[in-house]
Amino acid sequence: MKGLPVLSLLLWMCAVYFVGIYLFVGGFLLVRLEVNRTSTCGDVLQPGEEPVDFCRVQPRFRRAVLLIIDALKIDFAWFDPNNTAPRPYENKLPVLEETVSSRPSHSRLYPFRADPPTTTMQRIKGFTTGSLPTFVDVGNNFASSAILEDNLIHQFGQVGKRVVFMGDDTWENLFPKKFHRSLPFPSFNVKDLHTVDNGILQHLYTTMVGDDWDVLVAHFLGVDHCGHRFGPDHPAMADKLTQMDGVIRSVIDRLHNDTLLVVMGDHGMTDTGDHGGESQKETDAAIFLYSPSPLFPGPPSQSEPDVVPQTDLVPTLALLLGVPIPYSSVGQVLLPLFPPHGQTEGAVGRLSQLEALWINAKQVNRFLETYSGMAKDIPPESLSQLKRQFSRLSSEYLSSVREGRSPSPQLAASLQAYLTSVRDTCRATWARFNPLKMAVGLAILAFACLTCFVLSELSPVLIRENAPGLTAPLVVALAAGACAAAWQLLARGSVEAAWCLAAAALSSELLFLWRARRRGAVPADKNGSKAPKRATWLTPCRLLLIPPLLVPLLRCASLLSDSYVIAEGRAVTFLVFSLALYIPIHLNWDGLLLPPIHDPLKAAGFLPPAALSPSTVRRESSVLLACLGLLVGSLYLSLSFHACREEQGSCQPSPFLSPLSRLQDSQLKNLHYVLSVFSLGLWTYLLRRCLRHYGNLNSSGGTAFTAHWVLPLLSVCLALHWAVSATPEDSFRNLAELIGLAQLALPRAAFCLLALGLFLIWLDPLTVFVKTRGAASARASPLPPPSYRASTGISPQAELHHLIPQIYQRMRRSMDDGGELSGAGEVDSSPAVKAYGLGTVYSAPLLLFCGLLGIGLLLLHPEGMALSFLLLLLEMGALLHIHASSTNLSSLHGTYSGGFDVPWTPVVLWSLAATQFFHATGHLPTFPSIQWGAAFVGFPDGHTGTLLPASLVTLNTFASHILFAGLCFGLRSCYPQETPNGVEGFCTQVNVRGLRVPGEQRVSTDRGHTSAESRRGRGPLV
């Protein structure tokens, strides 16, 4: 497969995969249409004879103070006097319980439930707009863009209220130029517990006693950062909560009667201090309402809500402060803050519960009508039912107002039910999957996988000149896409591009598979056995009975079960073990694992060749079984690094997932650090030992320099970074600035060393040391320059860069033909070149590249993951050794078909191992398990854009897949051949034990061919 046909096939396959992913994601992650309209003072009117400007009515409160304590979990706010041994986060905010108990008509404490995703930007957007952000918005949490929807901050500015902000600089990005005065502080350094909070406290009290503000917003971050760094069960959390208790007391003492105080958290946190998902620990924050003047009609009653949704804060604050409710809000007013109907006489600016509900319902109905006219995602039956319900309630309420009679007691409950129905409908609509799109996307991806399998099996057929091209599939794809567009125009009057792409992709795939089925010829089977002459391989029964294809099917089927998804890490580990165990069982079934039994009755001419000696077979079998044991051990130990899903109630996450800074036991911290540094050192040693063993450290090129210097220096930087990061802040106060500089400089130095090493490998990848010698080394007379050199004045090392591709092409053609390398047995009578490391000339830079990249990816993980990365390296080596030994055993018995193809068993094993170590590095396919701290390694002050932090988090999340993808070329097998000295392997990729690749190749100068000399008993030249 050469040239344009190959490129066109690859591009077509990529396009088909992209279409399948696009359709699946379009059905799985729906986006909500934003309505960019704003409410005005004349939009929402109170019922009556004459319309009244809503904003000119004197509000109940003239001022408001919003204290946002990031990650204020409801468990932090409760106070239990019977708890004599509280944990660090318990009973640290007694001011809340004391105020609620002593002044019940002035204060309330409620659970404050957030809608997922529980990230700070989405929560700020939720309790200022009253809308429901989607999971697609989660990526904006790094560098937030301005909110375009109508919101409270905009409404405050529209009516002339002066909003003063201080704290988390996310607000400045969300509401640019909206504040009367702002004091933002950097928010993304999660290791900094005090800068933002102390900065707020320097200005909070002086601002409160002044008269140049109407709404004061203060967003504290210490509690959230303490959770990220140490977790909630840490003494540092007790200190931060105690500090917040003092802040609330001081603010209460400075409030005036016309001021409303709101203390709230934007989200909660898990037991490990993380957030972002939808578990109750993450969604349940706390909200505390207080005013020096009576705020509630009396003590808490049974009719009060058990939980307050965050969206309900928006209409409540808007009506209490006398501004229109934001246009897109779907929240419901908090009724206990408003007096019952008929009890507002003599109260200035007080709306009754019924009046507040009516204004709220009218605003929500207006938004519903506008949104349904712009988007068509709300089910028509639900929409019509909500419209009928509002029309009935509106007629009943307005008629009672016109007639001057009291509304029925059930009207308020009916309005509440209507508002709840609208919110539930919107939440269900914006979170509803599109099963049809998801199913079509999965079908396209399934056919794409089958097409890849067919392409790999039919690759020799497609080389032929008369092979079928892509012309017919592309023409059919265009026709199917056009038909889909025409059908949509006739049926719906509009065209959705997704369905046109789906029709085109499916039709092209089906036509290609049908034509491939008709071709019928497959030259070789990828499972290590002789291929059939005709196309019986495409029958469903044969496909299902092949273990390397059966295992991926089981893996895909397991994703349809909730229980298997929850235990996905262990399920994949079991599949890797099962498929690896299949290899020796299959070899033994075919009689390849043990030496053949010699039959003395056979004629001498039928004796096995010398290469098939029992010792050789036993040696290869022993290597295979030993590597299988290493693989099993690595798999078992890797289970110790798994995280826990929220559905696994009794599960305890691995202690290695916590950064060293969270560990309070100094001995345990030192032990973890020693294990991490030992694993890092062993990783570096194994890489250098492998390169030294095969003679790849003899050269003086950039790759050898990287192995000699860059690799150890990178490991030292990483170990020092771990030590500095684990140092408590108060341990060395005199060295605080130096420690802060080291926390910034060490990871950046590591990034620079990593970039330098990768650049040197790319610039000069060859790791071959060359020297010229004569044919008879005993002769002292000088010999003429080697005749292979194409020009004079060029060193043999430089000339070898030109020769190596030709050498390997000649080697490959010789192996494909099943013959000896020409000249292997000839007497050497001409000048030659010694090339140390030629056997691993291509694999050595690849191995070093992945080794460097692995250390760079480890930098983005917690320190304890160093041991997991070491297990990953051992598992990689074990898999490659198992593959090479099984190939050698098949070749020794003459059952290997030759060529440079890779069987499906190691390919599937390699893929499953990447997924298995995704879980073994502490990751899960859930939002809370995303290790957001990776975005700030080397960048503690945050980022100005989303590209760099998103890249760092992606590298952290898919580290195992990246490493396994980088070394997947190592699956290119080594193909042994018989020589007078036995079986000698020429390996074009990662060399493993059992292939006996010679560290020294002799390049004959007069014929331009190669021969292998086994350097038995000689060490590498280093």
Side-chain angles (χ1 to χ4, degrees), residues 573-593:
T573 303
F574 171 76
L575 292 178
V576 172
F577 169 76
S578 301
L579 191 55
L581 192 62
Y582 158 78
I583 295 177
I585 293 176
H586 179 67
L587 289 173
N588 187 62
W589 181 268
D590 293 340
L592 306 179
L593 190 62

Side-chain angles (χ1 to χ4, degrees), residues 87 271-272 281 570 639-645 648-657:
R87 304 176 73 173
D271 293 336
T272 58
K281 293 180 180 180
R570 293 183 176 273
L639 295 176
S640 303
F641 299 90
H642 283 207
C644 295
R645 294 176 64 105
Q648 297 171 300
S650 59
C651 176
Q652 293 295 327
S654 170
F656 295 97
L657 295 175

